[in-house]
């Protein structure tokens, strides 16, 4: 069976020890399976990126003997692919514009009696979610009051929760109710930057990634990514999340 793995660092500075462990785990897994190992620079969040950190990361990997089997790729050069994926989701009614600010969301949750818990991501209350799954790939009849973000629905067309079950090669059986745990999440920010969840799903499919090996701190993203993969009609790779 063909194996294609990848290491996908964000160039926010040099790789620290934890990131190097994740890189080594993905490299070793690819070698153990006689597969291909790729490196993708995940630099869509440009305000957080440090100049020349990408070349520094590649030099660190090379110094440790971890050279990718094909030239590295940069997410910042792949915006057309993300735009096409968003257009597909808009046509299907899965993606919709959201003009809520952080304070708008906080006020809506307060009105609903949802307590705020420190260091816990708040679940979007669905304020801007259209009542039906009609296409949103049309210009609005009334101009938006501010530039919108684009969110992905986390309910089925019948209004049921999206519950994702998957098997992690190390952690075993996993399950998450994305609707209750995450809510409708952002695909494209109001400032025009692409969200990590959409970019990583589109790129994994485009590069034919069969196995994602990464740190356990990213395990919580997996259900969102599988939901996106299924909605876009893309394959789901195998996952292995390593101890931190």
């Amino acid at each position: 069976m063909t194996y294609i793995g990848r290491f996908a660092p964000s160039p926010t500075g040099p790789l620290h020890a934890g990131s190097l462990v994740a890189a080594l785990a993905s490299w070793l897994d690819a070698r153990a399976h006689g597969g291909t190992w790729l490196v993708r620079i995940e630099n869509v969040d440009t305000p957080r990126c440090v100049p020349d950190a990408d070349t520094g990361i590649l030099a660190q990997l090379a110094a440790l003997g971890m050279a990718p089997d094909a030239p590295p790729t940069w997410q910042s050069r792949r915006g057309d692919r993300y735009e096409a994926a968003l257009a597909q989701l808009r046509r299907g009614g899965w993606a919709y514009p959201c003009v809520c600010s952080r304070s708008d969301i906080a006020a809506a949750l307060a009105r609903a009696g949802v307590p705020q818990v420190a260091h816990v991501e708040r679940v979007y209350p669905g304020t801007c979610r259209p009542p039906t799954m009609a296409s949103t790939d049309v210009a609005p009849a009334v101009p938006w009051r501010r530039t919108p973000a684009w969110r992905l629905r986390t309910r089925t067309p019948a209004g049921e929760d999206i519950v994702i079950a998957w098997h992690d090669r190390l952690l075993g059986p996993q399950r998450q109710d994305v609707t209750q745990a995450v809510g409708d999440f952002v695909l494209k920010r109001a400032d025009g930057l692409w969200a990590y969840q959409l970019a990583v799903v589109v790129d994994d499919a485009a590069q034919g990634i069969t196995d994602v090996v990464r740190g356990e701190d990213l395990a919580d993203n997996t259900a969102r990514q599988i939901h996106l993969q299924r909605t876009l009609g893309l394959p789901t790779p195998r996952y292995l999340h390593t101890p931190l």
Side-chain angles (χ1 to χ4, degrees):
M1 179 178 177
T2 300
Y3 179 111
I4 304 177
R6 50 75 163 176
F7 175 58
S10 296
T12 55
L15 295 177
H16 53 70
S19 296
L20 287 170
V21 168
L24 180 60
S26 65
W27 183 84
L28 286 171
D29 198 55
R31 294 294 171 260
H33 287 85
T36 299
W37 187 70
L38 306 177
V39 172
R40 183 171 68 230
I41 303 296
E42 297 198 332
N43 62 337
V44 288
D45 193 354
T46 51
R48 296 182 60 243
C49 295
V50 174
D52 299 323
D54 52 352
T55 54
I57 287 171
L58 295 173
Q60 284 182 280
L61 294 173
L64 293 171
M66 291 185 283
D69 297 318
T73 59
W74 278 257
Q75 283 187 331
S76 58
R77 304 171 185 174
R78 302 167 71 84
D80 57 337
R81 292 178 179 269
Y82 312 146
E83 197 67 65
L86 178 60
Q88 178 183 336
L89 294 168
R90 289 174 60 178
R91 286 192 298 270
W94 281 102
Y96 63 89
C98 173
V99 296
C100 293
S101 64
R102 289 182 183 273
S103 58
D104 292 336
I105 294 172
L109 291 170
R111 288 193 297 270
V114 179
Q116 183 169 359
V117 180
H119 311 301
V120 174
E121 184 178 358
R122 309 201 78 185
V123 176
Y124 177 69
T127 309
C128 292
R129 185 192 305 125
T132 68
M133 292 282 293
S135 171
T136 58
D137 197 22
V138 293
V142 178
W144 291 302
R145 57 189 173 93
R146 61 167 68 100
T147 302
W150 287 88
R151 291 183 180 271
L152 181 74
R153 289 177 179 267
T154 56
R155 287 189 182 277
T156 69
E160 300 169 337
D161 285 9
I162 299 288
V163 180
I164 302 294
W166 76 99
H167 182 85
D168 186 278
R169 289 172 51 205
L170 182 63
L171 303 178
Q174 304 291 306
R175 184 179 184 277
Q176 185 184 72
D177 185 326
V178 183
T179 311
Q180 300 301 322
V182 179
D184 297 355
F185 55 91
V186 171
L187 302 171
K188 188 177 187 180
R189 293 169 20 179
D191 60 9
L193 296 180
W194 295 102
Y196 162 75
Q197 306 295 353
L198 179 66
V200 72
V201 163
V202 170
D203 286 340
D204 281 347
Q207 293 184 289
I209 301 300
T210 63
D211 287 80
V212 173
V213 177
R214 59 190 180 187
E216 193 174 346
D217 55 324
L218 294 173
D220 184 64
N221 290 297
T222 307
R224 273 171 277 188
Q225 291 167 13
I226 293 175
H227 173 41
L228 250 179
Q229 290 157 2
R230 292 175 178 175
T231 305
L232 287 166
L234 300 176
T236 295
R238 294 181 293 266
Y239 290 93
L240 189 158
H241 290 89
T242 65
L244 300 179

